[in-house]
Amino acid sequence: QTIEELYINGLHLEQYKHHTYEPDHYYLAGLERDPDDSRCNTAMGRIMLKRGCFSIAEKYLHRAVERLTARNGHPETVEALYLLALCYRYMNKESSAYELMQKCIWQYSHVSAGYYTLAEIDAKRKAYSLASEKLKLSLQVNALHTKARCLQSAINRKTGLFDQAITIAADVKERDALELWCRIELYLSYKALKDQHKEKAIQQEINELFDRKPEYYLDVVNDFMRCGFYEDAVDVLQIADQTYPLVLYYLSYCFKESGNPEQAAAYAR
């Protein structure tokens, strides 16, 4: 088999799964023939990133980027650059992630996702005006990017623009009946405004629709954590089912990151 055939077979297995064969074997066989092959390195980096093996993923993706940029600083395919930027984020190398993500957004396929990730980093740095500009650019390409709209709502809420925050969240709720983050934004805005009637009403709607199942809430918690909104993450976790051990783990971590070590220690027990 050629390297291309090995790559395509591996990609097929990665996309459609198989109980007997692993895509890694095909990608690694391709890399035995050409250790710098960008396709197989990108694929292995993607797999290792999903497995949480960030240092290994970084090595594969860095090698792919080196091959792709050997003759062109702006390669046509930017998946390896995008994945490497995400890898840097998981490794707490925010500055490297930010710099690399800016090299992805020229390619149409990664404009929306790239600008959204940049907005998350800006929000984490409390550069809310920059984050808002990035979100506008992300939405120009993908107007149905609900996370971008929800982050817009969150930034408006954090900067005291509650009317805009509520309007955006309500619009997302109207468009996507199963989006939890927009409902959380309504809940947090009403809570900040001390509108107890609306706060209780939206909390009841959330509980009825999502049944306090922690997996749904943890998705929003992770969205908040990527933006550095640890206090908001705590608010979400406190309305989730706290009999689930992972909720307590997240509460401990978020209290620690928000500067409350005593509460962090209490939940860690």
Side-chain angles (χ1 to χ4, degrees), residues 44-249:
M44 285 302 300
R46 182 173 59 244
I47 289 174
M48 292 299 149
L49 189 61
K50 290 178 181 178
R51 292 176 183 172
C53 302
F54 303 127
S55 59
I56 300 174
E58 180 186 15
K59 292 177 182 177
Y60 283 116
L61 293 168
H62 184 69
R63 181 165 281 185
V65 170
E66 283 190 329
R67 171 62 68 84
L68 288 168
T69 57
R71 295 288 185 272
N72 186 352
H74 298 283
E76 182 180 2
T77 301
V78 298
E79 182 186 6
L81 285 78
Y82 176 77
L83 293 175
L84 184 55
L86 294 184
C87 187
Y88 284 150
R89 288 213 70 193
Y90 285 118
M91 300 171 77
N92 294 318
K93 299 178 180 179
E94 297 282 16
S95 296
S96 297
Y98 199 89
E99 180 181 354
L100 191 58
M101 192 62 73
Q102 289 179 310
K103 296 180 180 179
C104 302
I105 51 180
W106 79 275
Q107 175 56 264
Y108 184 83
S109 62
H110 286 72
V111 170
S112 184
Y115 273 120
Y116 177 76
T117 303
L118 291 171
E120 285 186 332
I121 298 173
D122 283 333
K124 195 170 185 178
R125 295 171 173 172
K126 299 188 185 304
Y128 296 135
S129 60
L130 289 176
S132 295
E133 289 302 315
K134 302 291 195 312
L135 291 170
K136 289 177 183 177
L137 292 168
S138 176
L139 287 162
Q140 282 180 0
V141 177
N142 182 5
L144 299 178
H145 194 328
T146 54
K147 281 192 177 185
R149 294 285 283 157
C150 289
L151 183 51
Q152 274 187 328
S153 178
I155 289 172
N156 281 321
R157 169 175 55 80
K158 286 192 161 293
T159 53
L161 302 174
F162 292 106
D163 288 343
Q164 291 93 319
I166 290 170
T167 298
I168 292 171
D171 180 65
V172 176
K173 179 173 174 284
E174 182 70 23
R175 293 170 181 269
D176 189 341
L178 295 177
E179 177 57 63
L180 175 56
W181 189 354
C182 64
R183 289 174 169 81
I184 293 295
E185 284 304 323
L186 290 171
Y187 168 75
L188 293 175
S189 287
Y190 294 142
K191 183 178 181 180
L193 291 169
K194 301 187 185 305
D195 189 333
Q196 294 184 356
H197 176 71
K198 290 183 178 179
E199 177 190 340
K200 290 180 180 178
I202 193 66
Q203 184 176 350
Q204 183 178 353
E205 180 182 328
I206 290 170
N207 291 339
E208 290 176 355
L209 189 59
F210 298 96
D211 198 27
R212 300 190 72 206
K213 290 184 177 178
E215 293 83 1
Y216 298 124
Y217 295 82
L218 291 178
D219 281 344
V220 180
V221 166
N222 278 287
D223 287 324
F224 279 145
M225 287 170 60
R226 283 193 296 273
C227 300
F229 299 165
Y230 294 104
E231 292 179 355
D232 294 336
V234 167
D235 285 336
V236 176
L237 291 163
Q238 288 179 332
I239 62 172
D241 182 2
Q242 295 188 20
T243 63
Y244 190 66
L246 201 55
V247 170
L248 303 179
Y249 173 84

